Amino acid sequence: MNDHAVKPAPAPATGAAHHGASAPAQETDGFQLVIDALKLNGIDTIYGLPGIPITDLARRMQKNGMRVISFRHEQNAGYAASIAGFLTQKPGICLTVSAPGFLNGLTALAHATTNCFPMILISGSSEREVVDLQQGDYEEMDQLAIAKPVAKAAFRVLHAEDIGVGVARAIRAAVSGRPGGVYLDLPAKLFPQAMDAAAGAASLIKVVDAAPKQIPAHDAVKRAVDLLRSAKKPLIILGKGAAYAQADADIRALVERTGIPYLPMSMAKGLLPDTHEQCASAARSFVLPEADVVMLVGARLNWLLSQGKGKTWGGATAKSWGRQRFVQVDISPQEADSNVRIEAPLVGDIGSCVAAMLKEIGPDFAKPPSDWTGAIAERKAKNVAKMAETLAKNPSPMSFQSALGVVRDIVKANPDAMLVNEGANALDFTRSIVDMMKPRRRIDVGTWGIMGIGMGYCVAAAVVTGQQVIAVEGDSAFGFSGMETETICRYGLPVCIVILNNNGVYRGDEKNAGGGADPSPLVFVKDARYEKMMEAFGGVGVHVKTPDELRRAMEEAIRSRRPTLINAVIDEGGGTESGRITNLNPTAKKK
Ligand code: ADP
């Protein structure tokens, strides 16, 4: 990736003059400098959608040996870039055209910032002079100003000689400290700007130590360990920051050496195998209110953890605090106390923090009392038995559970496969039924609980890891990015999409409340044949109605590694409104 030799620009489009020199100096241009700056920093894959003014940039990127994955909608390219950032610790790059393309990519940029994923949205833009005077340029928009509130940082480059600095700053901003989404604005006029090739090469920056370690202070480490030592009912919560940190062996050592039960947040599933005896997922509603000391590792006390308060945590009312005392390991010094008091904030990168804790703990950490671990084991056993009973049922039509029993077996047999998951019920049931055995194999809707990440994530997961991808999609969720089945087929990616099709949002049996002819806003075409979309692009489509058929179709997809869409028909009355977050839906609350 160190190939940053600047190639001569064939014919400078604007502004370059050789001033009559007999042997003209070699020149480069803005296009080439952007490419060279990215390649110099090890960035070899771009997710985007070409058009004015970045069409030639995309072409030349490919010509220069970069992998350019071209999507059908920028939002999906952006989601792909964001998750590529999560999986690789390098900023995922999304390339969009100006105004509408930029806006389509912006959702994903905000998503990256919210989820702490490193990403750079590079967008072409119209001419500053015209935009600032609002004179009506093609796709006129003050993109930099619009991007700022949803980005961790935003930069614009106006001169070719500043491209190196612009790219370096964007990379540093995306991956250092708490990672996030960065916007890099490249106006159309920048690309053809010519400059002397040697000066251009000299202006590029290979970023040194882009995400420096942040070593925690010893007194903070000691305070955290002391609090853990004082606990009678300790609990560790692992979040996607812990998965991102790639400190898997030390995290596992910390959990195992302390003997403390742990709960993985959804994208931290598999950091230790979900079947690990200390995993308390199957006793979640018991351990949260009962724990006395909770250590958060790369997890925020946001809505996904009921803000650390209320009945979930054993508080007497929906707003009151529970009895827990908290340790929080996080790279952001501002995260602590955002919802409840954090008695032992441990600020630093997770790798350094966990290593320092292991050192402080030494070999003689007293394991948690057996009445705590025993009570958890008992709850777990009861819930696991209940779940096994449900999974063993074979109703017709299939239920979410009977279909997911099959997915669970297939994922278990293919522990390296990437699992993409979105929907409402399709998300909730998959998260609790499908065990993950290895780190960073489950990627899902993240902090916002959004739909739409599906196919973008599938593409990036396949491109980045080369592994089989399995996507479990609600039929509603799939609709947000379904056109990217063409992208999956075009690049021949090993993606097996399973749509749990219950004909609608939440469920498919709702009627028009006004009695009119239009369908309810929550239902779709009945018995839609989504699998034909994949067939339309040369992939494999399968329509299944039983667990056996589903199993055979998934096994064949994995064997063949061909793009496959399995339309799994399930009971249209099977879902719950808003899945597990009914409490956030004012209508569902009244029901
Ligand atoms: P989850 O949704 O899984 O609970 P969150 O996205 O809420 O996870 O929290 C992730 C946290 O991890 C963020 O607060 C972020 O600052 C932190 N984080 C991300 N990367 C690192 C890292 N390398 N070291 C320490 N903390 C990190």
Side-chain angles (χ1 to χ4, degrees):
M1 283 303 113
N2 281 348
D3 168 26
H4 64 290
V6 176
K7 318 240 174 5
T14 60
H18 300 312
H19 303 296
S22 54
Q26 285 202 322
E27 289 195 332
T28 187
D29 65 6
F31 286 113
Q32 194 63 43
L33 287 167
V34 171
I35 294 166
D36 293 337
L38 292 170
K39 287 183 68 175
L40 178 61
N41 285 289
I43 292 170
D44 54 8
T45 306
I46 304 288
Y47 305 90
L49 207 164
I52 296 172
I54 47 97
T55 318
D56 259 352
L57 182 62
R59 276 196 197 106
R60 286 175 60 171
M61 282 171 156
Q62 198 169 46
K63 192 169 166 206
N64 279 262
M66 299 182 90
R67 189 139 197 227
V68 182
I69 308 289
S70 183
F71 285 71
R72 306 300 296 260
H73 190 285
E74 292 88 350
Q75 187 170 309
N76 304 318
Y79 284 141
S82 75
I83 206 66
F86 168 77
L87 292 170
T88 62
Q89 296 182 325
K90 281 197 288 193
I93 310 287
C94 175
L95 182 65
T96 65
V97 303
S98 38
F102 156 79
L103 287 172
N104 287 343
L106 202 59
T107 310
L109 186 72
H111 169 78
T113 304
T114 302
N115 283 275
C116 317
F117 298 160
M119 165 183 171
I120 302 173
L121 174 65
I122 299 180
S123 186
S125 61
S126 308
E127 298 321 328
R128 278 249 46 88
E129 297 83 347
V130 186
V131 171
D132 287 349
L133 277 170
Q134 299 178 24
Q135 293 175 309
D137 202 359
Y138 169 71
E139 295 187 350
E140 175 178 302
M141 174 170 275
D142 188 356
Q143 295 172 196
L144 188 73
I146 290 167
K148 271 184 183 161
V150 299
K152 184 179 170 195
F155 306 100
R156 176 186 291 129
V157 182
L158 292 175
H159 305 293
E161 62 265 32
D162 293 330
I163 286 171
V165 167
V167 169
R169 298 208 72 192
I171 292 171
R172 278 197 189 281
V175 298
S176 62
R178 170 183 277 179
V182 174
Y183 177 58
L184 188 60
D185 191 87
L186 303 182
K189 266 210 280 205
L190 175 74
F191 296 114
Q193 275 179 34
M195 70 181 287
D196 173 72
S203 73
L204 301 184
I205 296 174
K206 184 168 167 58
V207 176
V208 176
D209 199 10
K213 276 189 180 174
Q214 296 191 22
I215 314 287
H218 178 252
D219 58 343
V221 176
K222 186 167 179 323
R223 189 163 46 224
V225 170
D226 286 349
L227 187 52
L228 283 182
R229 283 194 206 278
S230 73
K232 299 271 178 299
K233 297 177 172 182
L235 176 69
I236 294 173
I237 297 183
L238 300 173
K240 58 176 152 354
Y244 174 78
Q246 300 193 14
D248 309 335
D250 272 1
I251 290 173
R252 184 167 185 155
L254 183 69
V255 171
E256 290 182 342
R257 289 244 301 265
T258 59
I260 297 176
Y262 73 94
L263 271 182
M265 299 300 287
S266 69
M267 279 176 56
K269 276 166 71 74
L271 207 41
L272 286 81
D274 279 343
T275 48
H276 196 283
E277 64 161 345
Q278 286 169 252
C279 180
S281 291
R284 190 179 195 272
S285 60
F286 172 69
V287 291
L288 287 179
E290 283 293 320
D292 61 354
V293 172
V294 176
M295 177 162 75
L296 300 152
V297 183
R300 288 170 286 186
L301 283 176
N302 56 20
W303 69 282
L304 290 160
L305 283 168
S306 308
Q307 263 90 21
K309 291 188 234 181
K311 295 189 173 162
T312 307
W313 292 87
T317 67
K319 293 248 155 114
S320 61
W321 291 20
R323 67 172 73 80
Q324 293 76 13
R325 304 170 73 192
F326 286 96
V327 177
Q328 184 159 31
V329 183
D330 204 290
I331 202 153
S332 165
Q334 296 172 43
E335 185 54 37
D337 302 330
S338 52
N339 284 284
V340 296
R341 180 184 313 112
I342 302 295
E343 260 179 69
L346 188 52
V347 175
D349 69 278
I350 283 169
S352 301
C353 289
V354 171
M357 288 186 89
L358 279 169
K359 206 161 148 209
E360 181 69 21
I361 278 164
D364 64 334
F365 191 89
K367 297 271 152 91
S370 58
D371 53 353
W372 173 232
T373 47
I376 297 171
E378 211 175 288
R379 290 287 172 135
K380 260 176 76 172
K382 226 187 278 171
N383 290 340
V384 167
K386 220 191 295 171
M387 174 71 85
E389 225 173 83
T390 315
L391 293 183
K393 286 185 191 147
N394 190 3
S396 180
M398 283 192 285
S399 60
F400 280 102
Q401 293 94 331
S402 62
L404 286 169
V406 173
V407 177
R408 174 190 165 105
D409 293 346
I410 301 277
V411 170
K412 193 170 169 198
N414 297 279
D416 281 316
M418 297 293 300
L419 181 70
V420 174
N421 187 205
E422 62 174 339
N425 293 280
L427 176 81
D428 293 333
F429 284 117
T430 306
R431 190 177 47 228
S432 58
I433 292 172
V434 179
D435 287 333
M436 305 308 297
M437 306 307 281
K438 294 195 174 181
R440 291 172 298 284
R441 297 308 195 277
R442 185 189 154 88
I443 48 180
D444 66 26
V445 301
T447 301
W448 271 338
I450 41 152
M451 295 196 200
I453 50 96
M455 297 306 105
Y457 273 24
C458 284
V459 171
V463 166
V464 166
T465 69
Q467 296 289 343
Q468 174 69 44
V469 180
I470 297 169
V472 179
E473 299 273 313
D475 51 335
S476 168
F478 175 72
F480 288 78
S481 64
M483 192 62 204
E484 303 298 346
T485 44
E486 190 274 334
T487 311
I488 290 167
C489 288
R490 192 167 9 113
Y491 290 94
L493 301 174
V495 175
C496 170
I497 303 157
V498 178
I499 298 184
L500 299 177
N501 185 2
N502 67 351
N503 291 339
V505 182
Y506 308 134
R507 47 195 293 157
D509 54 1
E510 192 157 303
K511 303 276 176 293
N512 180 331
D518 281 347
S520 152
L522 291 148
V523 304
F524 302 135
V525 165
K526 273 207 192 306
D527 306 323
R529 301 295 297 269
Y530 293 106
E531 76 280 9
K532 292 188 185 293
M533 288 176 67
M534 202 58 130
E535 286 171 3
F537 303 120
V540 178
V542 196
H543 189 228
V544 304
K545 293 186 171 171
T546 67
D548 281 347
E549 289 169 0
L550 175 58
R551 189 181 304 273
R552 275 198 297 277
M554 289 189 78
E555 282 171 353
E556 178 53 22
I558 289 169
R559 196 200 56 72
S560 72
R561 283 175 67 90
R562 287 186 65 194
T564 301
L565 194 158
I566 304 171
N567 183 6
V569 178
I570 60 165
D571 182 2
E572 67 173 10
T576 317
E577 178 146 349
S578 305
R580 296 260 168 89
I581 52 172
T582 312
N583 61 316
L584 299 178
N585 181 343
T587 15
K589 256 190 242 177
K590 277 191 226 129
K591 281 192 177 164

